[in-house]
Amino acid sequence: DGGITQSPKYLFRKEGQNVTLSCEQNLNHDAMYWYRQDPGQGLRLIYYSQIVNDFQKGDIAEGYSVSREKKESFPLTVTSAQKNPTAFYLCASNGGGTSPLHFGNGTRLTVT
Amino acid sequence: AQSVTQLGSHVSVSEGALVLLRCNYSSSVPPYLFWYVQYPNQGLQLLLKYTSAATLVKGINGFEAEFKKSETSFHLTKPSAHMSDAAEYFCAVSDYGGSYIPTFGRGTSLIVHP
């Protein structure tokens, strides 16, 4: 079955370390997205990519970086510049336009 | 610019009672509207989508939503709540003004009592 795979499910890091979250999709979708979820704040867009080798900042891109070298993959790096990185991170994809998003099961990152 | 407001961060109902989750949107152009459900420690799943074909949209698990342009609302309802409906529900809006990137509401946690 097609879907989105995020790994790992749980991730623990020390403050000051960069960490990369993986997101892979086999839905043949052009567009991919990264959202951050905090309790009571809904989903906030970090970065999105509508085509390979191109991506745009979302509402809260500071302290994050991404790459889109392959259609299937859209990894997110949480850098040491991100002031409050502990959160639940969700990757999503769609076929573009107004088609619904398909989500992975998320990565819960804890930084101490 | 588009935005979504979900009234009530928590809604509590008894099993078998009507479920009503409220969503109001703002959009400068005709919007596309979505409801998603999230179970604990999982991603979001699509419940239903409004695309202007019909104002009453039926989704999965017995949920439906009605688009009311005059009220800029897209409330989610279910006639009879089940324990398995307990989850977080998100309303989202997408329009061309935002390059079709969906904007999400803050979510409403549905609590179902036996």
Short mmCIF file of all heavy atoms in Angstrom, two decimals, chain A residues 2-4 6 9 15-16 19 26-28 31-32 40 58 68 76 81-82 84 89 91 111-112:
data_model
loop_
_atom_site.label_atom_id
_atom_site.label_comp_id
_atom_site.label_asym_id
_atom_site.label_seq_id
_atom_site.Cartn_x
_atom_site.Cartn_y
_atom_site.Cartn_z
N GLY A 2 0.41 2.28 -0.71
CA GLY A 2 1.15 3.52 -0.72
C GLY A 2 0.96 4.29 0.56
O GLY A 2 -0.07 4.16 1.23
N GLY A 3 1.96 5.10 0.89
CA GLY A 3 1.84 5.89 2.10
C GLY A 3 3.07 6.72 2.35
O GLY A 3 3.96 6.84 1.50
N ILE A 4 3.09 7.33 3.53
CA ILE A 4 4.21 8.16 3.96
C ILE A 4 4.83 7.54 5.20
O ILE A 4 4.12 7.21 6.14
CB ILE A 4 3.74 9.59 4.28
CG1 ILE A 4 3.15 10.23 3.03
CG2 ILE A 4 4.89 10.42 4.81
CD1 ILE A 4 2.65 11.64 3.26
N GLN A 6 7.54 8.07 8.21
CA GLN A 6 8.40 8.96 8.97
C GLN A 6 9.20 8.13 9.96
O GLN A 6 8.65 7.24 10.61
CB GLN A 6 7.56 9.99 9.74
CG GLN A 6 6.92 11.03 8.87
CD GLN A 6 6.27 12.13 9.70
OE1 GLN A 6 5.06 12.30 9.69
NE2 GLN A 6 7.09 12.88 10.41
N LYS A 9 10.12 7.17 15.14
CA LYS A 9 8.87 7.61 15.77
C LYS A 9 9.18 8.52 16.96
O LYS A 9 8.48 9.48 17.22
CB LYS A 9 8.05 6.41 16.22
CG LYS A 9 6.65 6.77 16.68
CD LYS A 9 5.79 5.53 16.85
CE LYS A 9 4.39 5.91 17.32
NZ LYS A 9 3.67 6.71 16.31
N GLU A 15 20.62 19.41 23.66
CA GLU A 15 20.62 20.79 23.16
C GLU A 15 21.93 21.09 22.44
O GLU A 15 23.00 20.65 22.88
CB GLU A 15 20.45 21.74 24.34
CG GLU A 15 19.73 23.02 24.03
CD GLU A 15 19.44 23.81 25.30
OE1 GLU A 15 18.52 23.43 26.03
OE2 GLU A 15 20.17 24.80 25.52
N GLY A 16 21.83 21.81 21.33
CA GLY A 16 23.04 22.18 20.59
C GLY A 16 23.37 21.24 19.45
O GLY A 16 24.26 21.53 18.66
N VAL A 19 19.62 17.65 14.24
CA VAL A 19 19.00 16.34 14.08
C VAL A 19 18.16 16.34 12.80
O VAL A 19 17.54 17.34 12.46
CB VAL A 19 18.13 15.99 15.30
CG1 VAL A 19 17.03 17.02 15.52
CG2 VAL A 19 17.54 14.60 15.18
N ASN A 26 5.66 6.99 -1.14
CA ASN A 26 5.59 6.20 -2.38
C ASN A 26 4.25 6.39 -3.06
O ASN A 26 3.72 5.47 -3.70
CB ASN A 26 5.87 4.72 -2.10
CG ASN A 26 4.88 4.11 -1.13
OD1 ASN A 26 3.93 4.76 -0.71
ND2 ASN A 26 5.11 2.87 -0.76
N LEU A 27 3.70 7.59 -2.91
CA LEU A 27 2.41 7.94 -3.50
C LEU A 27 2.56 8.65 -4.84
O LEU A 27 1.57 9.03 -5.45
CB LEU A 27 1.63 8.83 -2.53
CG LEU A 27 1.30 8.18 -1.17
CD1 LEU A 27 0.86 9.24 -0.17
CD2 LEU A 27 0.23 7.12 -1.36
N ASN A 28 3.79 8.88 -5.25
CA ASN A 28 4.10 9.61 -6.48
C ASN A 28 3.56 11.04 -6.44
O ASN A 28 3.17 11.61 -7.46
CB ASN A 28 3.54 8.87 -7.71
CG ASN A 28 4.22 9.34 -9.00
OD1 ASN A 28 5.40 9.68 -9.01
ND2 ASN A 28 3.48 9.36 -10.09
N ALA A 31 4.02 17.27 -4.29
CA ALA A 31 4.15 18.22 -3.19
C ALA A 31 4.35 17.51 -1.86
O ALA A 31 3.69 16.50 -1.57
CB ALA A 31 2.92 19.12 -3.11
N MET A 32 5.26 18.06 -1.05
CA MET A 32 5.49 17.53 0.30
C MET A 32 5.60 18.69 1.28
O MET A 32 5.99 19.81 0.90
CB MET A 32 6.76 16.67 0.33
CG MET A 32 6.65 15.42 -0.55
SD MET A 32 8.02 14.28 -0.40
CE MET A 32 7.69 13.54 1.22
N GLY A 40 -2.53 22.60 21.57
CA GLY A 40 -3.34 23.80 21.53
C GLY A 40 -3.00 24.77 20.43
O GLY A 40 -3.62 25.83 20.33
N GLY A 58 7.78 28.08 5.16
CA GLY A 58 6.44 28.25 5.66
C GLY A 58 6.40 29.34 6.71
O GLY A 58 7.22 30.26 6.71
N ARG A 68 15.19 18.64 -1.10
CA ARG A 68 14.27 17.83 -1.93
C ARG A 68 15.03 17.38 -3.18
O ARG A 68 14.85 17.88 -4.27
CB ARG A 68 13.03 18.65 -2.31
CG ARG A 68 11.98 17.80 -3.03
CD ARG A 68 11.08 17.07 -2.13
NE ARG A 68 10.19 16.16 -2.77
CZ ARG A 68 9.02 16.49 -3.33
NH1 ARG A 68 8.63 17.76 -3.38
NH2 ARG A 68 8.25 15.55 -3.85
N LEU A 76 13.88 16.73 6.99
CA LEU A 76 13.88 17.99 7.75
C LEU A 76 15.00 17.96 8.77
O LEU A 76 15.10 17.01 9.55
CB LEU A 76 12.54 18.17 8.47
CG LEU A 76 12.43 19.34 9.45
CD1 LEU A 76 12.31 20.66 8.69
CD2 LEU A 76 11.23 19.16 10.38
N ALA A 81 19.89 26.24 16.05
CA ALA A 81 19.34 27.60 16.09
C ALA A 81 17.85 27.63 16.43
O ALA A 81 17.30 28.69 16.74
CB ALA A 81 19.56 28.29 14.73
N GLN A 82 17.21 26.47 16.38
CA GLN A 82 15.79 26.41 16.71
C GLN A 82 15.67 26.49 18.23
O GLN A 82 16.14 25.59 18.94
CB GLN A 82 15.17 25.13 16.16
CG GLN A 82 13.76 24.80 16.67
CD GLN A 82 12.76 25.92 16.59
OE1 GLN A 82 12.12 26.27 17.58
NE2 GLN A 82 12.63 26.52 15.42
N ASN A 84 13.19 26.28 20.42
CA ASN A 84 12.30 25.39 21.19
C ASN A 84 11.93 24.20 20.31
O ASN A 84 10.80 24.11 19.84
CB ASN A 84 11.05 26.16 21.62
CG ASN A 84 10.17 25.33 22.54
OD1 ASN A 84 10.60 24.34 23.10
ND2 ASN A 84 8.91 25.73 22.66
N TYR A 89 6.43 16.34 14.99
CA TYR A 89 6.64 16.80 13.62
C TYR A 89 5.91 15.86 12.66
O TYR A 89 6.07 14.65 12.71
CB TYR A 89 8.12 16.83 13.29
CG TYR A 89 8.85 17.93 14.04
CD1 TYR A 89 9.38 17.69 15.31
CD2 TYR A 89 8.99 19.20 13.49
CE1 TYR A 89 10.02 18.70 16.00
CE2 TYR A 89 9.63 20.21 14.18
CZ TYR A 89 10.15 19.95 15.44
OH TYR A 89 10.78 20.96 16.13
N CYS A 91 4.95 15.02 8.59
CA CYS A 91 5.24 15.17 7.17
C CYS A 91 3.97 14.81 6.39
O CYS A 91 3.22 13.91 6.80
CB CYS A 91 6.38 14.24 6.78
SG CYS A 91 6.84 14.31 5.04
N VAL A 111 14.19 17.42 22.99
CA VAL A 111 15.54 17.97 23.14
C VAL A 111 15.72 18.43 24.58
O VAL A 111 14.90 19.19 25.10
CB VAL A 111 15.76 19.14 22.16
CG1 VAL A 111 17.14 19.76 22.37
CG2 VAL A 111 15.61 18.67 20.73
N THR A 112 16.78 17.94 25.21
CA THR A 112 17.01 18.29 26.62
C THR A 112 18.37 18.94 26.80
O THR A 112 19.23 18.88 25.91
CB THR A 112 16.92 17.04 27.50
OG1 THR A 112 17.87 16.08 27.04
CG2 THR A 112 15.53 16.45 27.45
#
